[in-house]
Amino acid sequence: MRLFVVLLVSAILSVKSYASETKWHDHDGMLQTRVVVTSMSDDAGKKLLAWEAKLAPGWKTYWRSPGEAGLPVKISSGGEQIEVLYPFPERFELFGLETYGYGKQVIMPFYVDAQSAEVPVKVDFMVCKDICVPFNIDYMVDTSGADDSIHDIRVSSWMDKVPARAGDDGAGLEVLSAKLVGKMGHQKVIVDATGSGNLTNADVLAEIGTVAHFGKPKKRMLPDGKTVRFVLSAQTGNKKIDLKGKQVRLSFTNGRGASIERFIDL
């Protein structure tokens, strides 16, 4: 009788798990991916899903601004592009180029307007190691079992890694200023930021659409002991593009798990 109960409970858990996730898909041994469903939704009633990837040793996939190499992870449904909530990435070097992305494992949350129980999700992405390989895959996601998803806690923990668009992310984080200096073709963005606690491992990533790439910033603490200054050199390739008046998207982290995102006009 006890064995029967155990088997029955296992069967029920299996059904619930399957209803809140797609099957794992293997991509030529480089990584495995799936889409998971949560019981959470936004104020508009859109369901929170997440793309999950487990990468084989050495393989990387990419942030929305991959740097000097790679392609970002893009997600769509029914032909419509979906906003991906990218966790703060890590820096790594590939073929001597600086890139931004994720190794080992990543969960990327996103919201969908689920008009029916089954939602089509398409993900385009690239992975790199000794070579770079692009992939695209279509998932059919069953959202009918999302009322009591086993993935809520895991996805929530990755949501916490997405830079906060409002507030200080509980760590007093603040971008105090961002200004542009230098002549066209040799411009730099100087960012002053602060936060509570130690900022030794603080970092900032800058984006200006696709017109400029910024490498690893130089940084130093200012005399007040609370403000860290970053100096980012703009790289615009062979084109001399004036960044004056453009909007920079800054992702600032204290290096200890908290991060914020801000848009500032230069």
Side-chain angles (χ1 to χ4, degrees), residues 126-181:
M126 175 177 279
V127 294
C128 293
K129 187 181 179 182
D130 301 318
I131 58 172
C132 290
V133 184
F135 289 100
N136 61 74
I137 180 171
D138 293 287
Y139 308 87
M140 186 57 70
V141 185
D142 180 5
T143 65
S144 61
D147 291 341
D148 186 24
S149 173
I150 62 172
H151 298 292
D152 284 5
I153 294 176
R154 295 175 63 248
V155 175
S156 292
S157 69
W158 281 88
M159 285 283 283
D160 290 340
K161 299 178 183 180
V162 177
R165 296 179 178 178
D168 64 2
D169 206 20
L173 299 184
E174 182 180 0
V175 174
L176 302 174
S177 65
K179 61 182 180 181
L180 187 69
V181 299

Short mmCIF file of all heavy atoms in Angstrom, two decimals, residues 126-181:
data_model
loop_
_atom_site.label_atom_id
_atom_site.label_comp_id
_atom_site.label_asym_id
_atom_site.label_seq_id
_atom_site.Cartn_x
_atom_site.Cartn_y
_atom_site.Cartn_z
N MET A 126 22.82 32.03 -30.27
CA MET A 126 24.11 31.53 -30.73
C MET A 126 24.92 31.06 -29.53
O MET A 126 24.82 31.66 -28.45
CB MET A 126 24.88 32.63 -31.48
CG MET A 126 26.30 32.25 -31.89
SD MET A 126 27.14 33.55 -32.84
CE MET A 126 26.42 33.26 -34.47
N VAL A 127 25.70 30.01 -29.71
CA VAL A 127 26.64 29.58 -28.69
C VAL A 127 28.04 29.54 -29.30
O VAL A 127 28.20 29.30 -30.50
CB VAL A 127 26.28 28.20 -28.10
CG1 VAL A 127 24.97 28.25 -27.34
CG2 VAL A 127 26.21 27.13 -29.19
N CYS A 128 29.03 29.84 -28.47
CA CYS A 128 30.41 29.86 -28.96
C CYS A 128 31.33 29.14 -27.97
O CYS A 128 31.12 29.20 -26.75
CB CYS A 128 30.90 31.29 -29.14
SG CYS A 128 30.06 32.22 -30.46
N LYS A 129 32.34 28.51 -28.53
CA LYS A 129 33.44 27.95 -27.76
C LYS A 129 34.67 28.07 -28.65
O LYS A 129 35.22 29.15 -28.80
CB LYS A 129 33.17 26.50 -27.35
CG LYS A 129 34.22 25.92 -26.41
CD LYS A 129 33.89 24.46 -26.06
CE LYS A 129 34.92 23.85 -25.16
NZ LYS A 129 34.65 22.43 -24.85
N ASP A 130 35.07 26.98 -29.30
CA ASP A 130 36.13 27.06 -30.30
C ASP A 130 35.57 27.56 -31.63
O ASP A 130 36.30 28.08 -32.48
CB ASP A 130 36.78 25.68 -30.50
CG ASP A 130 37.38 25.16 -29.21
OD1 ASP A 130 38.00 25.96 -28.49
OD2 ASP A 130 37.22 23.96 -28.92
N ILE A 131 34.27 27.36 -31.82
CA ILE A 131 33.55 27.87 -32.98
C ILE A 131 32.25 28.49 -32.48
O ILE A 131 31.88 28.33 -31.31
CB ILE A 131 33.22 26.74 -33.99
CG1 ILE A 131 32.39 25.64 -33.30
CG2 ILE A 131 34.49 26.16 -34.60
CD1 ILE A 131 31.85 24.59 -34.26
N CYS A 132 31.57 29.22 -33.33
CA CYS A 132 30.27 29.78 -33.00
C CYS A 132 29.20 29.11 -33.85
O CYS A 132 29.38 28.92 -35.06
CB CYS A 132 30.24 31.30 -33.25
SG CYS A 132 31.25 32.23 -32.09
N VAL A 133 28.09 28.73 -33.21
CA VAL A 133 27.03 28.00 -33.89
C VAL A 133 25.68 28.67 -33.59
O VAL A 133 25.31 28.79 -32.43
CB VAL A 133 26.98 26.53 -33.45
CG1 VAL A 133 25.92 25.77 -34.25
CG2 VAL A 133 28.35 25.86 -33.60
N PRO A 134 24.95 29.12 -34.63
CA PRO A 134 23.63 29.68 -34.40
C PRO A 134 22.56 28.59 -34.37
O PRO A 134 22.68 27.57 -35.07
CB PRO A 134 23.44 30.60 -35.61
CG PRO A 134 24.22 29.92 -36.71
CD PRO A 134 25.39 29.24 -36.03
N PHE A 135 21.54 28.80 -33.57
CA PHE A 135 20.41 27.86 -33.49
C PHE A 135 19.11 28.64 -33.51
O PHE A 135 19.05 29.81 -33.11
CB PHE A 135 20.46 27.06 -32.19
CG PHE A 135 21.56 26.03 -32.11
CD1 PHE A 135 22.73 26.31 -31.41
CD2 PHE A 135 21.42 24.80 -32.73
CE1 PHE A 135 23.74 25.37 -31.32
CE2 PHE A 135 22.43 23.84 -32.64
CZ PHE A 135 23.60 24.13 -31.93
N ASN A 136 18.06 27.99 -33.97
CA ASN A 136 16.70 28.48 -33.73
C ASN A 136 15.81 27.27 -33.49
O ASN A 136 15.99 26.22 -34.10
CB ASN A 136 16.18 29.33 -34.90
CG ASN A 136 16.10 28.57 -36.20
OD1 ASN A 136 15.24 27.74 -36.41
ND2 ASN A 136 17.04 28.86 -37.10
N ILE A 137 14.90 27.42 -32.57
CA ILE A 137 14.05 26.29 -32.18
C ILE A 137 12.66 26.80 -31.84
O ILE A 137 12.49 27.88 -31.27
CB ILE A 137 14.65 25.51 -30.98
CG1 ILE A 137 13.75 24.34 -30.60
CG2 ILE A 137 14.92 26.44 -29.80
CD1 ILE A 137 14.35 23.40 -29.58
N ASP A 138 11.66 26.01 -32.20
CA ASP A 138 10.27 26.32 -31.90
C ASP A 138 9.77 25.39 -30.80
O ASP A 138 9.96 24.17 -30.87
CB ASP A 138 9.39 26.15 -33.15
CG ASP A 138 9.71 27.16 -34.23
OD1 ASP A 138 9.35 28.34 -34.06
OD2 ASP A 138 10.35 26.78 -35.23
N TYR A 139 9.16 25.98 -29.79
CA TYR A 139 8.56 25.23 -28.70
C TYR A 139 7.04 25.46 -28.74
O TYR A 139 6.59 26.56 -29.06
CB TYR A 139 9.06 25.70 -27.34
CG TYR A 139 10.55 25.77 -27.16
CD1 TYR A 139 11.25 26.91 -27.53
CD2 TYR A 139 11.26 24.71 -26.59
CE1 TYR A 139 12.62 27.00 -27.34
CE2 TYR A 139 12.63 24.80 -26.41
CZ TYR A 139 13.31 25.95 -26.79
OH TYR A 139 14.66 26.03 -26.61
N MET A 140 6.28 24.45 -28.39
CA MET A 140 4.85 24.63 -28.15
C MET A 140 4.65 24.46 -26.64
O MET A 140 4.83 23.37 -26.10
CB MET A 140 4.01 23.62 -28.93
CG MET A 140 2.51 23.87 -28.80
SD MET A 140 1.99 25.55 -29.34
CE MET A 140 2.25 25.42 -31.11
N VAL A 141 4.32 25.56 -25.98
CA VAL A 141 4.31 25.59 -24.52
C VAL A 141 2.88 25.44 -23.99
O VAL A 141 1.99 26.22 -24.34
CB VAL A 141 4.91 26.92 -24.00
CG1 VAL A 141 5.01 26.89 -22.48
CG2 VAL A 141 6.28 27.15 -24.62
N ASP A 142 2.68 24.43 -23.17
CA ASP A 142 1.39 24.20 -22.52
C ASP A 142 1.34 25.01 -21.23
O ASP A 142 2.09 24.73 -20.28
CB ASP A 142 1.22 22.71 -22.23
CG ASP A 142 -0.09 22.37 -21.55
OD1 ASP A 142 -0.93 23.29 -21.37
OD2 ASP A 142 -0.29 21.20 -21.17
N THR A 143 0.50 26.03 -21.17
CA THR A 143 0.40 26.89 -19.99
C THR A 143 -0.76 26.50 -19.08
O THR A 143 -1.01 27.18 -18.08
CB THR A 143 0.23 28.36 -20.40
OG1 THR A 143 -1.02 28.53 -21.09
CG2 THR A 143 1.37 28.81 -21.30
N SER A 144 -1.44 25.41 -19.36
CA SER A 144 -2.64 25.06 -18.60
C SER A 144 -2.33 24.63 -17.17
O SER A 144 -3.20 24.71 -16.31
CB SER A 144 -3.40 23.92 -19.31
OG SER A 144 -2.58 22.76 -19.40
N GLY A 145 -1.10 24.17 -16.90
CA GLY A 145 -0.77 23.71 -15.56
C GLY A 145 0.01 24.72 -14.75
O GLY A 145 0.74 24.36 -13.83
N ALA A 146 -0.13 26.01 -15.11
CA ALA A 146 0.72 27.03 -14.49
C ALA A 146 0.20 27.54 -13.15
O ALA A 146 0.88 28.33 -12.50
CB ALA A 146 0.88 28.21 -15.44
N ASP A 147 -0.99 27.12 -12.72
CA ASP A 147 -1.54 27.67 -11.48
C ASP A 147 -0.72 27.28 -10.26
O ASP A 147 -0.74 27.97 -9.25
CB ASP A 147 -2.99 27.19 -11.29
CG ASP A 147 -3.93 27.82 -12.31
OD1 ASP A 147 -3.53 28.86 -12.88
OD2 ASP A 147 -5.02 27.29 -12.53
N ASP A 148 0.01 26.20 -10.35
CA ASP A 148 0.83 25.76 -9.21
C ASP A 148 2.16 25.25 -9.75
O ASP A 148 2.48 24.07 -9.63
CB ASP A 148 0.08 24.66 -8.44
CG ASP A 148 0.82 24.27 -7.16
OD1 ASP A 148 1.58 25.09 -6.65
OD2 ASP A 148 0.63 23.13 -6.70
N SER A 149 2.93 26.14 -10.35
CA SER A 149 4.16 25.74 -11.03
C SER A 149 5.29 25.47 -10.04
O SER A 149 5.48 26.21 -9.08
CB SER A 149 4.60 26.82 -12.02
OG SER A 149 5.85 26.51 -12.57
N ILE A 150 6.07 24.44 -10.33
CA ILE A 150 7.23 24.13 -9.50
C ILE A 150 8.42 25.02 -9.84
O ILE A 150 9.45 24.97 -9.18
CB ILE A 150 7.65 22.65 -9.67
CG1 ILE A 150 8.07 22.39 -11.13
CG2 ILE A 150 6.54 21.72 -9.24
CD1 ILE A 150 8.69 21.02 -11.34
N HIS A 151 8.26 25.87 -10.87
CA HIS A 151 9.38 26.69 -11.33
C HIS A 151 9.36 28.11 -10.78
O HIS A 151 10.26 28.89 -11.08
CB HIS A 151 9.40 26.73 -12.86
CG HIS A 151 9.58 25.39 -13.50
ND1 HIS A 151 10.76 24.67 -13.40
CD2 HIS A 151 8.73 24.62 -14.21
CE1 HIS A 151 10.63 23.52 -14.05
NE2 HIS A 151 9.41 23.47 -14.55
N ASP A 152 8.35 28.46 -9.98
CA ASP A 152 8.22 29.84 -9.50
C ASP A 152 9.47 30.33 -8.76
O ASP A 152 9.97 31.42 -9.02
CB ASP A 152 7.00 29.97 -8.58
CG ASP A 152 5.70 30.00 -9.35
OD1 ASP A 152 5.74 29.82 -10.58
OD2 ASP A 152 4.64 30.20 -8.73
N ILE A 153 9.97 29.54 -7.84
CA ILE A 153 11.11 29.97 -7.02
C ILE A 153 12.35 30.13 -7.87
O ILE A 153 13.09 31.12 -7.74
CB ILE A 153 11.35 28.97 -5.87
CG1 ILE A 153 10.16 28.97 -4.90
CG2 ILE A 153 12.64 29.31 -5.13
CD1 ILE A 153 10.27 27.96 -3.78
N ARG A 154 12.61 29.18 -8.76
CA ARG A 154 13.80 29.25 -9.60
C ARG A 154 13.76 30.46 -10.53
O ARG A 154 14.76 31.17 -10.67
CB ARG A 154 13.94 27.96 -10.42
CG ARG A 154 14.18 26.72 -9.58
CD ARG A 154 14.18 25.45 -10.41
NE ARG A 154 15.25 25.46 -11.39
CZ ARG A 154 15.05 25.53 -12.70
NH1 ARG A 154 13.82 25.62 -13.18
NH2 ARG A 154 16.07 25.52 -13.53
N VAL A 155 12.63 30.68 -11.17
CA VAL A 155 12.52 31.81 -12.09
C VAL A 155 12.60 33.12 -11.32
O VAL A 155 13.23 34.09 -11.78
CB VAL A 155 11.23 31.72 -12.92
CG1 VAL A 155 11.05 32.97 -13.78
CG2 VAL A 155 11.25 30.48 -13.81
N SER A 156 12.00 33.17 -10.15
CA SER A 156 12.06 34.39 -9.32
C SER A 156 13.50 34.74 -8.97
O SER A 156 13.88 35.91 -8.95
CB SER A 156 11.24 34.22 -8.04
OG SER A 156 9.87 34.15 -8.34
N SER A 157 14.31 33.72 -8.70
CA SER A 157 15.70 33.98 -8.34
C SER A 157 16.46 34.58 -9.51
O SER A 157 17.36 35.41 -9.33
CB SER A 157 16.39 32.70 -7.86
OG SER A 157 16.57 31.78 -8.92
N TRP A 158 16.11 34.20 -10.73
CA TRP A 158 16.75 34.78 -11.91
C TRP A 158 16.16 36.15 -12.23
O TRP A 158 16.85 37.02 -12.77
CB TRP A 158 16.64 33.84 -13.10
CG TRP A 158 17.66 32.74 -13.02
CD1 TRP A 158 17.53 31.52 -12.40
CD2 TRP A 158 18.98 32.75 -13.56
NE1 TRP A 158 18.68 30.79 -12.51
CE2 TRP A 158 19.59 31.52 -13.23
CE3 TRP A 158 19.71 33.68 -14.30
CZ2 TRP A 158 20.90 31.20 -13.60
CZ3 TRP A 158 21.01 33.37 -14.67
CH2 TRP A 158 21.59 32.14 -14.33
N MET A 159 14.89 36.36 -11.91
CA MET A 159 14.30 37.70 -12.06
C MET A 159 15.05 38.70 -11.19
O MET A 159 15.22 39.86 -11.56
CB MET A 159 12.82 37.67 -11.67
CG MET A 159 11.91 37.02 -12.70
SD MET A 159 11.56 38.07 -14.13
CE MET A 159 10.35 39.19 -13.43
N ASP A 160 15.51 38.24 -10.03
CA ASP A 160 16.28 39.11 -9.13
C ASP A 160 17.61 39.53 -9.74
O ASP A 160 18.22 40.51 -9.30
CB ASP A 160 16.53 38.41 -7.79
CG ASP A 160 15.26 38.24 -6.97
OD1 ASP A 160 14.28 38.97 -7.23
OD2 ASP A 160 15.24 37.38 -6.08
N LYS A 161 18.08 38.79 -10.75
CA LYS A 161 19.35 39.12 -11.40
C LYS A 161 19.17 40.07 -12.57
O LYS A 161 20.16 40.51 -13.17
CB LYS A 161 20.04 37.83 -11.87
CG LYS A 161 20.37 36.86 -10.74
CD LYS A 161 21.00 35.58 -11.28
CE LYS A 161 21.26 34.58 -10.15
NZ LYS A 161 21.88 33.33 -10.63
N VAL A 162 17.91 40.37 -12.91
CA VAL A 162 17.63 41.32 -13.98
C VAL A 162 17.76 42.73 -13.41
O VAL A 162 17.16 43.03 -12.37
CB VAL A 162 16.21 41.11 -14.54
CG1 VAL A 162 15.89 42.16 -15.60
CG2 VAL A 162 16.07 39.71 -15.13
N PRO A 163 18.55 43.62 -14.01
CA PRO A 163 18.72 44.97 -13.46
C PRO A 163 17.39 45.68 -13.24
O PRO A 163 16.53 45.68 -14.12
CB PRO A 163 19.56 45.68 -14.54
CG PRO A 163 20.34 44.58 -15.18
CD PRO A 163 19.42 43.40 -15.19
N ALA A 164 17.24 46.25 -12.06
CA ALA A 164 15.99 46.93 -11.70
C ALA A 164 15.85 48.23 -12.48
O ALA A 164 16.79 49.01 -12.58
CB ALA A 164 15.97 47.21 -10.20
N ARG A 165 14.67 48.46 -13.02
CA ARG A 165 14.42 49.67 -13.80
C ARG A 165 13.94 50.82 -12.92
O ARG A 165 13.88 51.96 -13.37
CB ARG A 165 13.42 49.38 -14.91
CG ARG A 165 13.95 48.38 -15.92
CD ARG A 165 12.97 48.08 -17.01
NE ARG A 165 13.55 47.16 -17.98
CZ ARG A 165 12.90 46.69 -19.04
NH1 ARG A 165 11.64 47.05 -19.26
NH2 ARG A 165 13.50 45.86 -19.86
N ALA A 166 13.56 50.51 -11.72
CA ALA A 166 13.13 51.53 -10.76
C ALA A 166 13.67 51.15 -9.39
O ALA A 166 13.90 49.97 -9.11
CB ALA A 166 11.61 51.64 -10.73
N GLY A 167 13.89 52.14 -8.55
CA GLY A 167 14.41 51.86 -7.22
C GLY A 167 15.89 51.59 -7.23
O GLY A 167 16.58 51.74 -8.25
N ASP A 168 16.41 51.19 -6.08
CA ASP A 168 17.86 50.99 -5.92
C ASP A 168 18.25 49.53 -5.76
O ASP A 168 19.37 49.23 -5.40
CB ASP A 168 18.37 51.80 -4.73
CG ASP A 168 17.76 51.33 -3.40
OD1 ASP A 168 16.98 50.36 -3.40
OD2 ASP A 168 18.06 51.95 -2.37
N ASP A 169 17.30 48.63 -6.03
CA ASP A 169 17.50 47.18 -5.91
C ASP A 169 17.93 46.78 -4.51
O ASP A 169 18.63 45.78 -4.32
CB ASP A 169 18.50 46.66 -6.93
CG ASP A 169 18.27 45.17 -7.26
OD1 ASP A 169 17.16 44.67 -6.99
OD2 ASP A 169 19.19 44.51 -7.77
N GLY A 170 17.51 47.57 -3.52
CA GLY A 170 17.77 47.24 -2.13
C GLY A 170 19.20 47.43 -1.69
O GLY A 170 19.56 47.09 -0.56
N ALA A 171 20.05 48.00 -2.55
CA ALA A 171 21.46 48.17 -2.22
C ALA A 171 21.89 49.63 -2.36
O ALA A 171 23.09 49.90 -2.44
CB ALA A 171 22.32 47.28 -3.10
N GLY A 172 20.93 50.54 -2.38
CA GLY A 172 21.24 51.95 -2.48
C GLY A 172 21.91 52.35 -3.78
O GLY A 172 22.58 53.38 -3.85
N LEU A 173 21.73 51.53 -4.84
CA LEU A 173 22.41 51.81 -6.10
C LEU A 173 21.83 53.05 -6.78
O LEU A 173 20.61 53.22 -6.84
CB LEU A 173 22.31 50.62 -7.04
CG LEU A 173 22.92 49.30 -6.56
CD1 LEU A 173 22.82 48.25 -7.64
CD2 LEU A 173 24.37 49.49 -6.15
N GLU A 174 22.70 53.88 -7.32
CA GLU A 174 22.27 55.09 -8.01
C GLU A 174 23.33 55.50 -9.02
O GLU A 174 24.52 55.53 -8.71
CB GLU A 174 22.03 56.23 -7.02
CG GLU A 174 21.52 57.50 -7.65
CD GLU A 174 21.30 58.62 -6.66
OE1 GLU A 174 21.55 58.40 -5.45
OE2 GLU A 174 20.90 59.72 -7.09
N VAL A 175 22.89 55.80 -10.23
CA VAL A 175 23.77 56.40 -11.23
C VAL A 175 23.65 57.90 -11.07
O VAL A 175 22.59 58.48 -11.30
CB VAL A 175 23.39 55.96 -12.66
CG1 VAL A 175 24.24 56.71 -13.68
CG2 VAL A 175 23.57 54.46 -12.83
N LEU A 176 24.72 58.54 -10.64
CA LEU A 176 24.67 59.96 -10.32
C LEU A 176 24.76 60.82 -11.58
O LEU A 176 24.10 61.86 -11.67
CB LEU A 176 25.82 60.32 -9.38
CG LEU A 176 25.83 59.56 -8.04
CD1 LEU A 176 27.10 59.90 -7.26
CD2 LEU A 176 24.60 59.88 -7.23
N SER A 177 25.58 60.40 -12.54
CA SER A 177 25.73 61.19 -13.76
C SER A 177 26.40 60.36 -14.83
O SER A 177 27.07 59.36 -14.56
CB SER A 177 26.57 62.45 -13.49
OG SER A 177 27.91 62.10 -13.13
N ALA A 178 26.20 60.80 -16.08
CA ALA A 178 26.88 60.21 -17.23
C ALA A 178 27.13 61.34 -18.21
O ALA A 178 26.19 62.02 -18.62
CB ALA A 178 26.05 59.12 -17.87
N LYS A 179 28.38 61.56 -18.56
CA LYS A 179 28.68 62.65 -19.48
C LYS A 179 29.66 62.19 -20.54
O LYS A 179 30.46 61.27 -20.34
CB LYS A 179 29.24 63.86 -18.73
CG LYS A 179 30.54 63.60 -17.98
CD LYS A 179 30.97 64.87 -17.22
CE LYS A 179 32.27 64.63 -16.45
NZ LYS A 179 32.69 65.84 -15.70
N LEU A 180 29.58 62.86 -21.69
CA LEU A 180 30.39 62.52 -22.84
C LEU A 180 31.55 63.51 -22.94
O LEU A 180 31.37 64.72 -22.82
CB LEU A 180 29.54 62.60 -24.10
CG LEU A 180 30.16 62.13 -25.41
CD1 LEU A 180 30.37 60.62 -25.39
CD2 LEU A 180 29.25 62.52 -26.58
N VAL A 181 32.75 63.00 -23.16
CA VAL A 181 33.93 63.87 -23.32
C VAL A 181 34.72 63.39 -24.53
O VAL A 181 34.61 62.24 -24.97
CB VAL A 181 34.83 63.86 -22.07
CG1 VAL A 181 34.08 64.37 -20.86
CG2 VAL A 181 35.36 62.45 -21.79
#
